[in-house]
Amino acid sequence: MLKKLSLSPVIIAVILSFVLLLWLFSGDNYGAKNEAPEAQKLPQQQLALVETRWSDAQPYQATQVAQGQILPWRSVSIKSQQAGTVEAVLKQQGDAVKQGDKLLQLSNEGRSALLAQAKANLTLRNSELDSAKALGKAKFLSATELTRLQSEQAKAQAELITAELAISQRAPEAPFNGIVDRRHIEVGDLVQVGSELMQLVQIDQLKVTAQIAQQDIAALSVGQNVTLRLLDGRTLNGTLSFISYAADNATRSFYIEVTVNNPELLRIAGVSVTVEVQLGDIAAHRISPALLSLNASGQLGISAVDEQQQVKFYSVTLLSADNDGAWVSGLPQRVQIITQGAGFVQPGSTVRVAGAKP
């Protein structure tokens, strides 16, 4: 027979205490696995310290900048339409000409004789046709013969026109008001059909051409004011007069033209120029270029502090920059920009602002 196990009160108390401790430990361990620990808040004195300044947006005259070339309003190469020898040069390089002015004189080369022959032949054909019409009314001439004579008369008339044109082409005329910019011939030169004789330009008005990127073309419209900056520092004013309707297949850019008045006949045709198209006022901030930085995605921007004292990165567009500062867009109307310490904080982190109340 088994004896009953007798435990003293002290032993029973020890066992109960051990079981209680084991239960409490298991409960804490379970809670730690299923509940995230509370975030530890850094003391105010351990937050990063930054310096800031308030910036308010100001009206800024936005411009679209491109590189272009100044061209004459008109430019044409005068070429010979007849063969012959240059008998006289009537206009020299640099001479101003009016539309219709004769520029030079070619040799006759028998063209006057051909003109006289064509006139005589046409007179004969007209007389034959008049007589034939009289006979036709009297039924003494067939319709076929009358048609043949009409054809001969038309041919003679065409020959006369050709002979007269050959005479007029001995002395090429200016097709518009302009200036003789180059002369390629001298008296005595033998020229053929198509030989270059002179270069005529019109520069009292100029045309500037440029290419605008496809992402910027939507901001442009015909009639906008344009500032042109020459390499020597001079500036001219013009008007955007044309925007192409289709982008270039190779560059994906749009062709534009700017019209510029040039009453002083400045010698600037053919030179390079910076084209600045005035787009109108936009809200922008004037900052130091040193405050600009790149985020992890490579975007240009500014670090600022919001109302919750947290760092925020604003992507901006650089409008212009010079030795005194830079103009940027993309910031709020009023913003607290970090001027010192931006490199030691990350977007979303809470910071202390120097001089601000805790």
Side-chain angles (χ1 to χ4, degrees), residues 97-103 171-177:
V97 297
K98 297 290 187 181
Q99 182 178 359
D101 285 353
K102 297 184 185 302
L103 303 176
E173 298 177 352
F176 51 80
N177 297 345

Side-chain angles (χ1 to χ4, degrees), residues 169-224:
Q169 290 174 343
R170 288 181 56 203
E173 298 177 352
F176 51 80
N177 297 345
I179 297 174
V180 177
D181 195 50
R182 292 294 303 277
R183 175 170 58 84
H184 302 291
I185 44 85
E186 294 287 352
V187 174
D189 283 348
L190 178 64
V191 299
Q192 302 296 328
V193 175
S195 296
E196 287 190 335
L197 305 174
M198 294 182 178
Q199 186 75 23
L200 188 65
V201 296
Q202 179 183 352
I203 62 168
D204 57 345
Q205 194 172 40
L206 299 170
K207 175 172 56 180
V208 179
T209 63
Q211 299 287 334
I212 299 296
Q214 57 183 342
Q215 64 269 23
D216 300 324
I217 199 65
L220 304 187
S221 60
V222 173
Q224 288 175 320

Side-chain angles (χ1 to χ4, degrees), residues 62-304:
T63 59
Q64 177 63 54
V65 181
Q67 295 302 312
Q69 183 179 18
I70 302 178
L71 301 175
W73 184 250
R74 293 177 182 174
S75 178
V76 64
S77 177
I78 307 297
K79 296 183 178 181
S80 177
Q81 295 176 287
Q82 298 289 332
T85 302
V86 179
E87 289 186 339
V89 177
L90 306 178
K91 296 295 181 181
Q92 303 297 326
Q93 291 182 159
D95 287 351
V97 297
K98 297 290 187 181
Q99 182 178 359
D101 285 353
K102 297 184 185 302
L103 303 176
L104 56 94
Q105 181 76 41
L106 294 178
S107 58
N108 192 283
E109 301 296 330
R111 281 179 274 265
S112 295
L114 292 176
L115 176 60
Q117 181 181 354
K119 289 181 178 180
N121 189 39
L122 179 60
T123 300
L124 174 61
R125 297 305 178 187
N126 286 336
S127 177
E128 290 178 345
L129 184 59
D130 291 340
S131 299
K133 288 180 179 179
L135 292 174
K137 291 181 180 179
K139 308 296 184 181
F140 292 125
L141 188 70
S142 65
T144 302
E145 182 63 16
L146 180 60
T147 301
R148 185 188 67 79
L149 292 175
Q150 288 174 334
S151 175
E152 292 292 338
Q153 189 264 354
K155 180 181 177 181
Q157 191 169 20
E159 290 174 347
L160 176 60
I161 294 174
T162 301
E164 290 175 340
L165 184 61
I167 291 294
S168 67
Q169 290 174 343
R170 288 181 56 203
E173 298 177 352
F176 51 80
N177 297 345
I179 297 174
V180 177
D181 195 50
R182 292 294 303 277
R183 175 170 58 84
H184 302 291
I185 44 85
E186 294 287 352
V187 174
D189 283 348
L190 178 64
V191 299
Q192 302 296 328
V193 175
S195 296
E196 287 190 335
L197 305 174
M198 294 182 178
Q199 186 75 23
L200 188 65
V201 296
Q202 179 183 352
I203 62 168
D204 57 345
Q205 194 172 40
L206 299 170
K207 175 172 56 180
V208 179
T209 63
Q211 299 287 334
I212 299 296
Q214 57 183 342
Q215 64 269 23
D216 300 324
I217 199 65
L220 304 187
S221 60
V222 173
Q224 288 175 320
N225 295 326
V226 179
T227 299
L228 305 172
R229 301 190 183 277
L230 303 175
L231 296 180
D232 60 8
R234 289 180 294 174
T235 60
L236 299 173
N237 296 320
T239 303
L240 184 60
S241 54
F242 177 76
I243 304 173
S244 65
Y245 286 87
D248 183 87
N249 290 332
T251 63
R252 303 300 178 189
S253 59
F254 287 79
Y255 170 84
I256 67 168
E257 287 185 1
V258 177
T259 299
V260 184
N261 291 324
N262 184 31
E264 298 179 359
L265 304 182
L266 299 176
R267 290 179 170 88
I268 55 177
V271 305
S272 299
V273 66
T274 299
V275 180
E276 299 179 0
V277 184
Q278 309 300 322
L279 302 181
D281 288 343
I282 62 173
H285 289 258
R286 180 74 167 174
I287 64 167
S288 168
L291 301 180
L292 296 169
S293 62
L294 298 176
N295 63 5
S297 301
Q299 295 176 313
L300 184 69
I302 293 289
S303 294

